[in-house]
Every structure is written in structure tokens, then in C-alpha cells.
Amino acid sequence: MRISTGQMFQQSTKSILDKQSATNTILAQITSGKKVNTAGDDPVAAIGIDNLKQKNALVDQYSKNVDYATNHLSISESKIGSAETLISSMREQLLRGANGSLSPVERQMVADEMRASLEELVSIANSQDESGNYMFAGNKTNSQPFAFDINNEIVYSGDSGVRKSVVASGVAIPTNIPGDLAFMNSVNPIGDYGVNYLSPQQGDSAVSSAKITNQATHVSDTYTFNFTPNGTGVDLQVLNSGGGTVTTVTNFDATNPVSFNDIEVKLNGTPAAGDSFTMEPMETVSIFDSFSKALALLETPESTNSPQGKSKLAQLLNDIDSGQNQVSTARGIAGNNLKGLESISTNHSEEKIINSSTLSILEDLDYAEAMTEFEKQQLALNAVSSVFSKVGSLSLFDYI
């Protein structure tokens, strides 16, 4: 087979270019520290590298969401913890102010102290985050959630919205605690009705339970309980809001519950003739309302140690305890979510380590092996170049 001069030059040139390309590829790998710089270097590995980088990018985004949720929940949990501590202090203030040995001036001082604490509690409930959003307003983050109305009662202007952050595939964690959940909707400790004790009360009785027994047939209304003398004891007459008699109990005995219109009412203590109180539907109580009523009680010195005042005080303490339990529950929810975020964050860190380790196996360059290969390619390139130089300089005239 004859080899023409053109074929010889073409083959030699191709060998040089191939060796230069291989040398450049190794040099690019050494420069970047990666053995796969393009899909052409290793198509299979390139697909795996792209998938792992996408997974790591997704994990990074989830981690940012975890940090955001953790930051907001941590602040919320701290604020609710402060509120819980303040509520305990205010309960002690109420008990101190209700002490019969205090003078009116001393009792008013306690009331002033409690009022300042109540304003601080409202301030905590109106806390804002670093962006100026109200933390306990639900989804209405631009509006102040708690404020005093014209009757000096706290009203909630937020909603029950729970904002969530996606922190893992298919996992969304709440990042806020709505204000109504934390401060407004604590369970009525006596059941489904609230009680208003009327003056002048002489007996030491108080309602311990007022629960609906059949919601479907119960008649919701404001009921008045009147105790009247019968010579040997007292009779109980229950009236509806229209003044009609609902039920009458002769020789009332507080050990037996009173049932009417599918509601059961239990009292403790001994009512006196002339005592009276009203009940109206109330499924939940507010910690703010409880302390507002407590302030009103303390600022009415003549009522504090009266039978009526003592009955109110007992009810208020139960309402405050229920409100404090509600605040504690809200803090527990925040704590549980923080614990869940901590676990998820750990999982993301472990996943990132595994992905990065696999990515390193597929992508990272073995420098010792690469340098050896680079030297081999350089030697081969030099050899091919030397041969081409000698062969290219041959001429028939050298042999004539």
C-alpha cells in the first residue's frame, strides 16, 4: 500500500491535534479541580452531577425557609413566655389587692400596678417583627391586632390565619401564632355560660358549672337566678330574658344541680334570700377581659370583701387560670414547631453532606492521577511533534 505525502502530513497533523486536545482537557481539569467540566467529559457522571446540584440547591432553599421559620417562632415563643410570666405576676397582684387588710389607698396602688401590667401585656400582644409586621395578628400583619375600645375593653382586629413555610418536600411548618389562639379564646372554666353576680349578695354561693347538655335543643338566652325566702330556706326561680319563669326549685339545695332548657347548672356554697345573678352564653374567655374585670373589682373597694366580690373573685381567678393555660398551650405549640424545625434542619444538613460527598466522587479531580496523566500526554505530544518534524523535513533530494 502506498502512502502519499499528503496522507502522511494529514495523519501526523491529526495525531498532534489529538494529543493537544487531550493535553488541554487534562490542563482544564487541573485548573478547575473538576474532572467533569462538560457533559462530553463523562455524560453519565454529568447527569448525576446536575441532579445532585439541583438537590443541593433545593436543600439550600429549604434551609433558608427553616431559618426564617425558626427566627420568627423563636421570637414568638419568647414573647409568649414573657406574657406567661407577666400573667402569673398579675394574678399575684390580684390576690394581694383582694386582701381585706389593705386600705383603699393601698388597694388602688395595687390596681394601678396591675393596670400598668395589663398595658404591658397588650404591648407584648402587639409585638412586631424585624419587618414591622405584627406577630400575633394572623394574616392581617399590617394592622395592630389588640386595642382598647370605647368601653375600655380589649378587642382583637386580627384573624385566625396561620402562615406556613415549606421546609421540606411536602412539609409546611407554621411560622406564627395567631393572637386569638394565644390570648382570646381560652376555655370558659365553668362551661358554656358566664355569670354576673348582682348586688346586694349575702350568701357565699357561686356557680361552679354551667354546661349545655343537648346543643340541638338548648335554648340560648340570658337567664336570671333569684333566690327568695320560704320560711325555712330559699326557693330558686329562674327567669328568661323576657321575664318568664323557666323553672322553680323549692327548698333549693346546692348539692343538687339545676336543669332547664337542656342546660345543667351547679352551685357551691349557700345562697341567701335576696341573692341574684344572671347567666349569658359564653364559651370562651379572654385573659384581657379577665384582668379588666379584676381591675374594676379592685377599684370598687366596697365590693372586694363582700359576698358578691368574693364570688366574682373566685370566678375571675378561674378565668385567669384558664387564660394562662391557653397562653401556655400557645407557647407549647411554638415550642413543638421549633423542635420539628430543629429535626428537619438536621436532616437537611445530613442530606447536604451525603449529596456533597457523592458529588465529590463524581466531580472532584484526583490531582496526583491528573498530573501523571498530564505528563504522559505531554510526552506523547512531544514525541508526535518530534516525529512529524523529522518526517516533514525529509526530501528525495537528500538521497540523490
Side-chain angles (χ1 to χ4, degrees):
M1 178 179 178
R2 295 177 59 187
I3 299 177
S4 67
T5 302
Q7 288 177 317
M8 181 181 66
F9 272 90
Q10 184 179 10
Q11 184 64 37
S12 298
T13 301
K14 182 178 184 301
S15 296
I16 290 174
L17 292 176
D18 288 344
K19 296 302 180 183
Q20 283 180 334
S21 177
T23 301
N24 290 336
T25 298
I26 295 296
L27 185 60
Q29 291 176 345
I30 293 173
T31 302
S32 66
K34 307 294 182 184
K35 62 184 177 183
V36 180
N37 290 308
T38 66
D41 295 338
D42 187 338
V44 176
I47 294 174
I49 290 169
D50 285 342
N51 288 337
L52 288 169
K53 286 183 176 179
Q54 290 177 14
K55 288 182 178 179
N56 274 348
L58 188 59
V59 170
D60 287 341
Q61 184 58 56
Y62 285 149
S63 296
K64 290 180 181 179
N65 293 349
V66 168
D67 291 341
Y68 172 86
T70 299
N71 179 58
H72 280 70
L73 281 173
S74 296
I75 297 174
S76 296
E77 192 274 339
S78 176
K79 293 293 184 181
I80 295 174
S82 298
E84 191 176 11
T85 302
L86 187 59
I87 289 169
S88 296
S89 174
M90 293 174 71
R91 190 183 191 279
E92 294 176 0
Q93 292 169 0
L94 174 58
L95 290 175
R96 187 169 73 251
N99 190 326
S101 63
L102 293 182
S103 67
V105 174
E106 291 172 327
R107 188 173 292 109
Q108 184 59 50
M109 290 175 62
V110 175
D112 292 340
E113 183 181 355
M114 183 182 292
R115 187 176 300 281
S117 297
L118 178 58
E119 291 174 354
E120 182 181 353
L121 184 61
V122 174
S123 177
I124 291 174
N126 285 327
S127 296
Q128 296 172 276
D129 62 17
E130 70 283 356
S131 300
N133 296 319
Y134 289 97
M135 300 174 59
F136 301 107
N139 288 325
K140 297 182 178 181
T141 56
N142 294 325
S143 302
Q144 180 175 301
F146 296 95
F148 290 94
D149 64 8
I150 57 175
N151 296 319
N152 206 34
E153 295 179 351
I154 292 291
V155 293
Y156 179 61
S157 301
D159 60 22
S160 301
V162 176
R163 305 185 301 278
K164 295 184 178 181
S165 180
V166 179
V167 295
S169 178
V171 180
I173 294 291
T175 61
N176 71 302
I177 302 295
D180 56 348
L181 171 64
F183 303 105
M184 299 298 292
N185 296 331
S186 54
V187 176
N188 183 349
I190 67 171
D192 302 299
Y193 274 72
V195 182
N196 180 29
Y197 298 97
L198 303 178
S199 180
Q201 178 178 328
Q202 300 299 321
D204 61 355
S205 65
V207 176
S208 61
S209 174
K211 297 181 179 179
I212 297 172
T213 56
N214 189 334
Q215 192 71 49
T217 56
H218 167 65
V219 180
S220 180
D221 199 356
T222 298
Y223 296 100
T224 301
F225 286 62
N226 292 326
F227 295 93
T228 58
N230 62 11
T232 58
V234 295
D235 295 337
L236 169 62
Q237 182 184 35
V238 181
L239 308 177
N240 59 25
S241 58
T245 300
V246 177
T247 187
T248 300
V249 180
T250 58
N251 294 317
F252 175 77
D253 182 359
T255 60
N256 298 319
V258 180
S259 297
F260 58 92
N261 289 350
D262 293 304
I263 182 173
E264 184 179 82
V265 181
K266 296 179 181 179
L267 288 83
N268 53 29
T270 305
D275 288 355
S276 182
F277 64 84
T278 62
M279 292 197 329
E280 59 183 4
M282 184 183 294
E283 295 182 0
T284 61
V285 295
S286 158
I287 190 67
F288 298 114
D289 287 343
S290 298
F291 280 121
S292 293
K293 292 176 181 178
L295 275 169
L297 179 65
L298 291 183
E299 291 177 336
T300 310
E302 64 275 9
S303 298
T304 306
N305 296 304
S306 66
Q308 177 196 19
K310 291 178 180 178
S311 296
K312 285 184 177 181
L313 177 62
Q315 176 177 300
L316 286 172
L317 289 173
N318 288 333
D319 289 349
I320 290 170
D321 289 341
S322 180
Q324 187 167 20
N325 288 337
Q326 184 73 9
V327 172
S328 298
T329 298
R331 187 181 185 186
I333 292 173
N336 285 336
N337 289 337
L338 283 171
K339 185 175 181 180
L341 287 170
E342 183 179 357
S343 176
I344 290 172
S345 179
T346 300
N347 292 339
H348 286 332
S349 297
E350 292 174 352
E351 183 180 359
K352 188 73 179 290
I353 290 172
I354 293 172
N355 289 345
S356 298
S357 176
T358 305
L359 189 62
S360 177
I361 294 173
L362 294 174
E363 189 179 39
D364 288 352
L365 183 69
D366 183 336
Y367 277 95
E369 181 181 346
M371 291 302 297
T372 301
E373 183 65 22
F374 179 69
E375 291 175 359
K376 286 169 58 178
Q377 293 295 338
Q378 276 193 317
L379 287 173
L381 177 60
N382 291 335
V384 171
S385 298
S386 177
V387 170
F388 179 73
S389 175
K390 291 180 180 180
V391 172
S393 64
L394 290 178
S395 172
L396 182 61
F397 293 103
D398 293 336
Y399 298 94
I400 296 178

